[in-house]
Amino acid sequence: MRMELVLTLSGNNKVLLSMTLASWSLDLCSTRVAHVEFSSSSILVVKHLLENNDGNLSPSNADRQGVLVNVLAAILWQAANYDGGSQCATVCSDSGRTKFHSSILYRNDGITEKIQVTRCHSLAATESCVREFLPQFQNTMGKGCILFLYSAVLSRGISTLRDDMDEPGSCLMANHGYCSQELVNLVMMGYAAQNVFNNIIDLDGKILKGAREARDVGFLTLYEYYKVFEVGSYLKNPTSGVWVICSESHYSVLFSTSSSSNPHETTNLFYYDSLGNQDSPYKLTVYPDSGIESHDDDPPLELCIRTRWKNAKVDWNGSEPLL
């Protein structure tokens, strides 16, 4: 069993930090380890740099580490303090000691029985704690991803997290070992809603929960093109101009350095996929309302983009389109 958190720091052009959460996650219902690719935290890093670093996307290594600490702490503090949360952020670390042993109810997994839990009652305390244990989160041969997942779940509170979901038996893992939308939303929004439409939908007495308000970070998905998902305006129009992209069964980053949020204006977007071995992000110029119809054989990223920028022409500016 191997859990890893890989943090790749790069100063090339506009690529400053790619956070790849790979080869991990824990199904809280069955304790089954599965493969996940996950970039919501990358999005928050980009957002933080755009807003708090004067738009400088080539910071020093020390600045990158500082931003990473701030972002990880903010994710936990948001989960703890969003409506109904535990009000106390939790940081889980590896104590190096087995604190309880296998029984008829629990089988040792090499992680859970060694967890040390630290409760933090302020954002500053959370940042301090994350900074202390950052080497564990960054250790490429360590258990950083699962430790951070435990931290997010306990910060939210297990009973509150269950209440966030549409079904009491929902899990943080979906079919085929992918992370569920609940897990993405927990990291991205602070609560584990199952859907990405606005507010709630009453379906013959069954309440389906989505995004509760406009968010800093947005979400676009290929599944909306295929009419599997509906993404509401809250997540299509984030205040930061940064989006999580769900396409081809994994997550990547799309962002704009422009302050304009008008989906009818020509805009430059930057795209980065932490699994794509990119030295720099792709620069795309989007021309909305150009009369371009989407087709199944179009590049998947263009199909995602047109769910927000309707009938847009997408110029890859000399780069080969990603198919």
Side-chain angles (χ1 to χ4, degrees), residues 165-268:
M165 299 174 173
D166 291 347
E167 299 286 347
S170 296
C171 299
L172 297 183
M173 294 300 303
N175 294 332
H176 311 298
Y178 296 120
C179 62
S180 69
Q181 192 63 44
E182 289 94 330
L183 177 53
V184 175
N185 287 345
L186 175 63
V187 175
M188 188 170 67
M189 301 194 298
Y191 52 94
Q194 188 168 333
N195 307 288
V196 288
F197 49 68
N198 291 356
N199 301 314
I200 62 173
I201 291 177
D202 186 338
L203 190 63
D204 296 329
K206 172 65 177 175
I207 301 300
L208 306 179
K209 304 167 188 174
R212 302 176 188 178
E213 60 191 355
R215 308 301 301 177
D216 292 338
V217 172
F219 183 82
L220 302 175
T221 176
L222 184 61
Y223 294 118
E224 182 166 28
Y225 165 73
Y226 289 118
K227 303 186 185 308
V228 176
F229 275 22
E230 174 193 335
V231 180
S233 60
Y234 291 162
L235 292 175
K236 279 187 178 171
N237 301 296
T239 59
S240 64
V242 181
W243 292 266
V244 174
I245 298 294
C246 176
S247 174
E248 302 294 271
S249 300
H250 77 280
Y251 298 88
S252 49
V253 179
L254 186 73
F255 66 96
S256 170
T257 57
S258 169
S259 59
S260 174
S261 61
N262 189 337
H264 299 287
E265 289 184 0
T266 298
T267 186
N268 289 322

Side-chain angles (χ1 to χ4, degrees), residues 8-115:
T8 305
L9 302 180
S10 171
N12 294 333
N13 299 319
K14 291 183 179 294
V15 180
L16 40 115
L17 191 147
S18 162
M19 184 175 183
T20 304
L21 295 104
S23 303
W24 68 275
S25 200
L26 182 68
D27 178 330
L28 295 177
C29 296
S30 68
T31 66
R32 177 175 61 86
V33 175
H35 175 78
V36 168
E37 302 155 24
F38 192 74
S39 287
S40 295
S41 296
S42 302
I43 296 286
L44 295 171
V45 167
V46 172
K47 170 188 172 291
H48 190 283
L49 284 161
L50 289 173
E51 292 182 349
N52 300 297
N53 206 41
D54 296 325
N56 175 22
L57 297 181
S58 298
S60 67
N61 285 332
D63 286 341
R64 291 173 191 152
Q65 294 289 87
V67 168
L68 180 59
V69 167
N70 291 341
V71 166
L72 295 181
I75 291 171
L76 301 181
W77 189 247
Q78 174 180 250
N81 288 274
Y82 197 86
D83 183 30
S86 67
Q87 309 298 308
C88 176
T90 299
V91 179
C92 294
S93 58
D94 184 355
S95 70
R97 303 187 309 275
T98 298
K99 299 191 173 186
F100 51 90
H101 298 278
S102 294
S103 68
I104 192 171
L105 299 176
Y106 172 76
R107 185 181 65 184
N108 283 7
D109 58 22
I111 302 171
T112 308
E113 66 274 8
K114 296 181 181 180
I115 283 180

